[in-house]
Amino acid sequence: MNSPQIEIQLIAVVVAIACAIPGVFLVLRKMALISDAISHSILPGIVIGFFITQDLNSPLLILLAAITGVITVVLVEWIQKTGLVKEDTAIGLVFPALFSIGVILIAKNANDVHLDVDAVLLGELAFAPFDRLLLFGNDVGPKSLWVMGTILISTIVLLLLFFKELKVSTFDSGLSAALGISPVIMHYGLMSVSSVTVVGAFDAVGAILVVALMIAPAATAYLLTSDLKKMLWLAITFGSIAALGGYWVAHWLDASISGSISTVLGVIFLFVYLFAPRKGLISVLYRQKQQRTEVSLITFLLHLNNHSEERERHINHLQEHINWQKIRSKTVLDLALKNNMVTVTNNVVSLTKKGDEFTNLALEYIITNKDEKIEHMKDDFFLFRG
Amino acid sequence: MEQKIAIKVDDLTVAYNYKPVLWDIDLMVPEGVLMAIVGPNGAGKSTLIKAILGIIKPIAGSVTIYDKPYNKQRKLVAYVPQKGSVDWDFPTTAVDVVMMGTYGKLGWIKRPGQKEKKAALEALEKVGMLAFKNRQISQLSGGQQQRVFLARALVQNAAIYFMDEPFQGVDATTEIAIINILKELRKAGKTVVVVHHDLQTVPEYFDWVTFLNVKKIATGPVKEIFNDDNLTKTYGINYKVAVNK
């Protein structure tokens, strides 16, 4: 690996982590779409900033663009507050309007400079190492690495300082307000950080793909954990893996780096969506199947419990009594036998002591919905896991 | 002996989009009562609590908690929002939710430590939820979630408790557990204000009641004012509550 290659990967990882952190909170606040809106509507801010500074990495440009991002949020909320349209409609009204102002500004004034719509929308990581930061005549590295590095460090510091506040205002804004932790301040703080991050990242990965870096790692992490801290770590990990993996996929395919990173993110999400242990699709389908079987088992045991007469418990009559197909009856009977809940003598099924106890506990649970007594059964049976 | 006034509301008016939802409310809640706020849907019951707690800005009027504005008295007040107002799929555990009750006293930036954790575990034990401390909150039943919310209020160790429909969607066992805790709070001299829906249980659970329907209809001891006349005024239909006969 040569030095530009290392620099590109480093920038990609820094961008990915800086996006993943606010992304987690956007996903939890069900505000994923707002990041899309911000990423587009900052364009006029970028363009105006660029006219003033003639530098895509200038702090002023980042500030102006971030302000445009916050204005987007304010406008969306303002339109929404009229009660005439819903939030998604408000978002759909605001960001194309601001974005188109930016597009017109570029077309009218910036035809001959290094700022075109393609660059803004798609970014180009491969060129990032060419733009160097010079300090007292010394080359200290690519400019975008410094910009994103600063944004990332600020984000991490803010996260560490305000983790508790972010958590409570995201989970329960009413309580947060009552406790004196203003959810409004947290909201606009998060919006500002997201805006700054999007602006910083758009140069590297483009305004559209930055949304993928914000949302996909958080959405993937959400499927895997029920702990906010772990969710943050997982999102950071997925973002970094996708940044590095995407770089090498692009290298191998000779394709766009940002496009490849997003593709890798998509593939990771798909994989987790299918195979996540608890929330994954396969696990959910398996659990549903198990639950069906268990409901059948309990129905079967209840039937035995209700009927002492042998006629009702004869193996050949079970089918017609419970009205099941043959295969299902056999599965359920086998399951009951395997768990020592029933015995079969002379083709008549009887509950064992264990089966009897189980049935009574299950009945009590269904009637009272009390959890404590069946705690120990939860590992064996999905049905009781709520 | 003069009884202290815990909550005093003067001329409170709240409007959403210029439509008043609470109109000129005057209210005095004496210290140490267990008060129900009753009224039909859309009467502004939750809004009244939220306006007292400063979550919603009123367009007129003032609120004092022990003679001072709410933002000076936050630490004296605990709040249980409606269970449905939060996303129970949020990645966190029961004990973690209870710890959030300590955030107010901690203030900005400071992190909860061992002391807060211990207080949270004690509160969980009080509501009979200690066994579920590390359970992810979406894996709790509705009644258990409500108890976690109650524990979160207990951990605030406040003088006044506001609860927005704590009995909604809970089973009988949880309802009894909650009301026992509320009665214990009253015994300890705390003031408890509850948005309540089940009129039948008002005389049994509460000693103070406020009838609300955009305007305040009546407020006072249950024994004196919980009658068909006030119920009819509040609900607009001819109400006959057998329990009062």
Side-chain angles (χ1 to χ4, degrees), chain B residues 19-33:
Chain B
K19 186 177 170 281
V21 279
L22 282 179
W23 211 324
D24 201 29
I25 306 289
D26 288 307
L27 193 64
M28 275 206 268
V29 185
E31 182 178 54
V33 300

Side-chain angles (χ1 to χ4, degrees), chain A residues 122-170:
Chain A
L122 301 173
E124 190 42 270
L125 210 48
F127 297 150
F130 295 134
D131 195 6
R132 315 298 294 185
L133 182 69
L134 298 174
L135 270 186
F136 310 112
N138 296 320
D139 179 358
V140 290
K143 220 180 230 177
S144 53
L145 185 58
W146 282 92
V147 172
M148 277 320 290
T150 312
I151 294 174
L152 174 60
I153 289 167
S154 319
T155 307
I156 291 174
V157 169
L158 287 170
L159 175 71
L160 292 177
L161 284 178
F162 298 112
F163 180 72
K164 171 188 95 200
E165 286 78 6
L166 273 167
K167 182 160 72 177
V168 68
S169 65
T170 302

Side-chain angles (χ1 to χ4, degrees), chain A residues 21-210:
Chain A
I21 294 172
V24 163
F25 291 98
L26 291 176
V27 165
L28 289 176
R29 285 164 175 250
K30 303 179 176 55
M31 292 177 67
L33 207 54
I34 206 89
S35 69
D36 192 22
I38 292 175
S39 70
H40 286 70
S41 57
I42 54 172
L43 187 63
I46 293 173
V47 178
I48 294 168
F50 184 72
F51 289 158
I52 299 171
T53 60
Q54 298 293 316
D55 176 3
L56 270 179
N57 288 314
S58 151
L60 177 74
L61 183 142
I62 292 178
L63 186 72
L64 277 177
I67 291 172
T68 328
V70 175
I71 290 175
T72 312
V73 178
V74 174
L75 283 176
V76 168
E77 281 164 7
W78 182 68
I79 295 180
Q80 199 188 337
K81 221 177 248 173
T82 62
L84 299 173
V85 294
K86 296 261 182 289
E87 188 188 12
D88 53 347
T89 314
I91 291 176
L93 285 167
V94 171
F95 86 79
L98 289 168
F99 183 69
S100 55
I101 292 172
V103 171
I104 291 172
L105 282 175
I106 294 181
K108 289 302 285 178
N109 303 302
N111 275 331
D112 50 342
V113 291
H114 164 60
L115 181 69
D116 55 61
V117 177
D118 276 359
V120 171
L121 284 184
L122 301 173
E124 190 42 270
L125 210 48
F127 297 150
F130 295 134
D131 195 6
R132 315 298 294 185
L133 182 69
L134 298 174
L135 270 186
F136 310 112
N138 296 320
D139 179 358
V140 290
K143 220 180 230 177
S144 53
L145 185 58
W146 282 92
V147 172
M148 277 320 290
T150 312
I151 294 174
L152 174 60
I153 289 167
S154 319
T155 307
I156 291 174
V157 169
L158 287 170
L159 175 71
L160 292 177
L161 284 178
F162 298 112
F163 180 72
K164 171 188 95 200
E165 286 78 6
L166 273 167
K167 182 160 72 177
V168 68
S169 65
T170 302
F171 173 63
D172 190 341
S173 63
L175 177 84
S176 183
L179 291 176
I181 297 169
S182 164
V184 179
I185 292 176
M186 294 319 294
H187 175 68
Y188 284 106
L190 179 64
M191 287 303 117
S192 307
V193 169
S194 307
S195 299
V196 170
T197 309
V198 169
V199 184
F202 99 95
D203 190 28
V205 296
I208 297 182
L209 299 181
V210 68

Side-chain angles (χ1 to χ4, degrees), chain A residues 34 57 59 69 84 98 101 111 140 148 159 178-179 211 227 249 254 285 297 306 310 313 337 341 359 376:
Chain A
I34 206 89
N57 288 314
L84 299 173
L98 289 168
I101 292 172
N111 275 331
V140 290
M148 277 320 290
L159 175 71
L179 291 176
V211 178
D227 178 323
V249 169
D254 194 16
L285 289 177
L297 174 67
N306 279 342
E310 285 197 358
R313 295 189 282 125
L337 279 170
M341 290 182 178
T359 313
H376 64 279

